[in-house]
Amino acid sequence: QRVYRELLLTRSSDPLPPFLPARLVLDGETLLEGTPWRVRCRSLPCPDESERLPGAVYLDRDKVDGVLLLRPRQTGDEITKTLKKLFIDEKVPRREREHIPVLADRAGVAAVAGFGADQRRLAQTGGRAYELLFWKKE
């Protein structure tokens, strides 16, 4: 199978099955079964730019609507543009797209692993925030 500029040798060209949704652990670590992804979350006042952890996302706690759920993408999901278009533009292989965690609540997508947060949901310096770190366990 050709995947953008690479040749991928597999037994099947079918995408990997999506992972099961998981509720985000608000002060701790969430492991997503069936994926290499982990998410660490902690509550804190949002630090200024110079004190932020590289790669961390700071969500405004007051803009969270209900339970934060880590799930695969769904039709219509968007942050800056639809996730479908974002993944195509960033050349994410089709078979991996269902394994990228999407953090969502009742209001929609709050953040996407490796791509950041919806700009409208970002915390301001000093505000109540959730610090989120997404990483893959190798």
Side-chain angles (χ1 to χ4, degrees):
Q1 176 182 7
R2 186 173 64 100
V3 178
Y4 295 104
R5 300 182 126 195
E6 297 177 352
L7 180 62
L8 177 66
L9 299 175
T10 65
R11 293 181 183 200
S12 169
S13 63
D14 296 334
L16 300 169
F19 62 93
L20 294 174
R23 190 176 186 150
L24 180 71
V25 176
L26 295 179
D27 279 306
E29 190 174 298
T30 307
L31 307 170
L32 295 174
E33 286 192 39
T35 78
W37 287 98
R38 294 171 180 250
V39 184
R40 190 184 82 195
C41 176
R42 63 183 183 147
S43 298
L44 68 148
C46 185
D48 65 30
E49 293 288 332
S50 66
E51 297 174 332
R52 294 182 185 192
L53 293 177
V57 172
Y58 294 87
L59 284 183
D60 186 329
R61 289 177 52 192
D62 296 326
K63 293 182 180 174
V64 172
D65 184 7
V67 173
L68 285 167
L69 193 66
L70 289 157
R71 60 168 175 76
R73 69 182 175 137
Q74 295 177 353
T75 303
D77 280 350
E78 62 180 65
I79 48 175
T80 55
K81 52 183 151 185
T82 65
L83 295 189
K84 179 179 180 177
K85 182 156 180 45
L86 180 67
F87 290 167
I88 290 169
D89 291 351
E90 295 297 323
K91 297 185 174 18
V92 175
R94 180 175 292 161
R95 63 184 282 111
E96 294 176 18
R97 295 176 190 168
E98 303 308 317
H99 279 260
I100 297 175
V102 173
L103 181 65
D105 61 12
R106 286 190 302 235
V109 175
V112 180
F115 294 92
D118 181 332
Q119 297 298 307
R120 299 168 293 193
R121 305 272 205 120
L122 291 176
Q124 301 298 316
T125 300
R128 295 175 354 122
Y130 288 123
E131 176 187 71
L132 301 165
L133 282 170
F134 293 88
W135 79 94
K136 283 184 175 182
K137 179 184 175 193
E138 298 301 329

